[in-house]
Amino acid sequence: MAAAYDCDVLVVGGGIVGLSTAYALTRAVPGTRVVVLEKESGPARHQTGRNSGVIHSGIYYRPGSLKARFAVEGAAEMVKFCAEHGLPHEVTGKLIVATEHAELPRLHALVQRGRANGIPVRELGPAQIADYEPQVQGLGAIHVGTTGICDYGAVAERLAALAEEAGASVRYGAEVRVIGRRGSAVAVRTARGEVLRARALVNCAGLHSDAVARMAGDDPGARIVPFRGEYFELRPERTDLVRGLVYPVPDPAFPFLGVHLTRGIEGHVHVGPNAVPALAREGYAWHVVRPSELAGTLAYPGTWRIAKRHWRYGAGEVQRSLSKRAFTEAVRRLLPEVAEDDLIPAPSGVRAQAVLRDGTLVDDFLFTESPRMVHVLNAPSPAATASLPIGREVARRVLGLL
């Protein structure tokens, strides 16, 4: 009977979550036949390879949530994984800085949340901020010592190699076009016409995860609404303005962390992102428009409800996207010495944010199951940080279906 299957588990998507799932499957039950199908020519070409490389501590997330638990576990595991495999990384710590009196209660709430999540945090007064970041000004701050940086693209490549060493097959240029279920099998057909049969399927398609769920005949219950994160970098001669990682106090009503400063593993200082609606799921610039995807986003009731609820916040983000001066002013709240000419454009990313029909942003990681399938329907930041425990969780779920 086993000969009727090409593999035990098909994983759709070769980002860090899909590759971590393949890695976890090969370790949980050695001999499990795993095939990863990735439409691009290599791993980590979208969310994984286009973020700022931060290993998040887990301070922002609701105690008891999957994000909180997996981020805290995942941060420690990611540092260990990078060290064991010789991948570039550094535990830098970071500052979260309040620049207005109205932000101080939110800053204190973050202290309490961090402690509830088991994260060591230190409260700082204005003078103490300079001990960590001499050019940063604020009314108060917290120092989070477990935050770090790494190269998630390199992590994804290593996970792919480890999975393949254990017998998995990672296939690039393999876009899934058709998914079907018949009896005890799941079958997919790729754009090249290849047909593969498996005992189960895992959907880790990121920006396209809801579309893949619908392709499989399942109702995802939410829609991916893409938000583009636009970055600048400090000019090389100005990177001495920032020693490590500096964040504003986030708005708890929105899932984005605001314009922040991140000294990456290569020494560049990323500045951003602002978050604006993307006109395509892989819309890394305003001119990238896919009419069918945009029409689907605009036809979705949740899109208009989120726009109505957050239009003031969204208008500010769009203004910062269209005006470098406005973007610079947002940065100057934290770093007064920065000038408009100090910022040079850097590559953008797109966040795959699941939104419910009522306009509610899905706040936690979201996994669903159906016969022979596990769908990862919401895994934006801190999914890269949390990718190792996420992979184990998804592997546990899909192995339970076999």
Side-chain angles (χ1 to χ4, degrees):
M1 187 64 182
Y5 302 106
D6 298 290
C7 61
D8 296 309
V9 181
L10 280 169
V11 178
V12 180
I16 199 168
V17 171
L19 293 169
S20 177
T21 297
Y23 170 74
L25 284 166
T26 62
R27 273 147 183 77
V29 182
T32 301
R33 296 172 300 161
V34 181
V35 174
V36 179
L37 301 176
E38 166 55 45
K39 70 183 181 68
E40 303 295 352
S41 59
R45 296 299 169 87
H46 294 289
Q47 291 186 102
T48 302
R50 288 176 169 266
N51 62 39
S52 54
V54 175
I55 302 173
H56 289 284
S57 64
I59 190 171
Y60 299 112
Y61 313 116
R62 178 175 50 82
S65 65
L66 292 174
K67 278 189 176 182
R69 196 172 87 228
F70 288 171
V72 173
E73 292 176 14
E77 289 184 43
M78 186 58 63
V79 171
K80 183 179 178 183
F81 183 90
C82 290
E84 287 179 350
H85 295 282
L87 301 177
H89 70 287
E90 185 180 354
V91 180
T92 59
K94 80 171 178 183
L95 293 185
I96 304 173
V97 181
T99 57
E100 299 176 2
H101 286 286
E103 294 174 337
L104 291 173
R106 301 208 311 258
L107 189 72
H108 183 68
L110 274 180
V111 171
Q112 302 307 312
R113 176 163 283 194
R115 289 173 178 162
N117 287 338
I119 299 163
V121 297
R122 181 186 175 204
E123 295 183 77
L124 306 177
Q128 295 169 301
I129 293 173
D131 294 339
Y132 294 93
E133 294 285 351
Q135 302 300 325
V136 171
Q137 292 186 12
L139 300 176
I142 53 181
H143 181 258
V144 187
T146 53
T147 303
I149 51 174
C150 70
D151 180 344
Y152 285 119
V155 172
E157 289 179 3
R158 188 64 185 137
L159 287 169
L162 291 169
E164 289 185 307
E165 288 171 12
S169 173
V170 182
R171 304 183 187 182
Y172 300 111
E175 181 177 358
V176 173
R177 290 285 180 84
V178 178
I179 301 174
R181 273 181 279 222
R182 181 170 294 178
S184 61
V186 178
V188 306
R189 186 171 74 239
T190 70
R192 294 177 177 175
E194 182 182 21
V195 176
L196 294 168
R197 287 166 52 86
R199 298 170 66 199
L201 179 144
V202 175
N203 167 15
C204 296
L207 287 159
H208 303 277
S209 58
D210 59 335
V212 169
R214 288 192 295 272
M215 189 189 303
D218 293 330
D219 179 5
R223 184 179 181 90
I224 295 297
V225 175
F227 289 88
R228 183 171 63 257
E230 297 171 330
Y231 289 89
F232 286 86
E233 288 181 358
L234 289 182
R235 292 188 180 279
E237 61 270 23
R238 297 291 275 167
T239 57
D240 60 347
L241 289 174
V242 179
R243 290 179 174 177
L245 312 182
V246 184
Y247 282 65
V249 179
D251 183 343
F254 223 60
F256 309 109
L257 299 179
V259 173
H260 49 270
L261 303 121
T262 306
R263 179 176 285 276
I265 205 70
E266 74 293 335
H268 299 163
V269 176
H270 295 92
V271 186
N274 63 316
V276 297
L279 305 182
R281 296 198 181 211
E282 296 168 16
Y284 296 112
W286 280 113
H287 68 268
V288 180
V289 182
R290 291 190 177 177
S292 62
E293 294 179 359
L294 179 58
T297 298
L298 294 176
Y300 185 61
T303 301
W304 295 102
R305 288 170 179 150
I306 188 177
K308 182 178 180 181
R309 192 172 300 159
H310 298 293
W311 70 269
R312 288 184 185 276
Y313 187 102
E317 296 292 297
V318 171
Q319 181 190 20
R320 285 187 286 275
S321 173
L322 299 176
S323 168
K324 187 178 180 183
R325 178 176 294 179
F327 187 96
T328 305
E329 286 304 310
V331 180
R332 284 172 57 83
R333 291 180 57 206
L334 292 169
L335 193 66
E337 290 297 311
V338 77
E340 194 172 333
D341 290 344
D342 294 330
L343 301 175
I344 55 177
S348 298
V350 176
R351 176 190 178 104
Q353 176 63 52
V355 178
L356 303 179
R357 288 184 65 85
D358 66 359
T360 301
L361 300 167
V362 178
D363 187 47
D364 207 354
F365 297 140
L366 177 62
F367 314 117
T368 65
E369 297 175 24
S370 65
R372 301 281 163 186
M373 296 187 190
V374 176
H375 300 288
V376 180
L377 294 172
N378 195 58
S381 180
T385 297
S387 54
L388 293 170
I390 288 175
R392 288 197 302 274
E393 172 65 17
V394 176
R396 180 189 68 78
R397 289 173 180 247
V398 74
L399 288 170
L401 302 178
L402 299 182

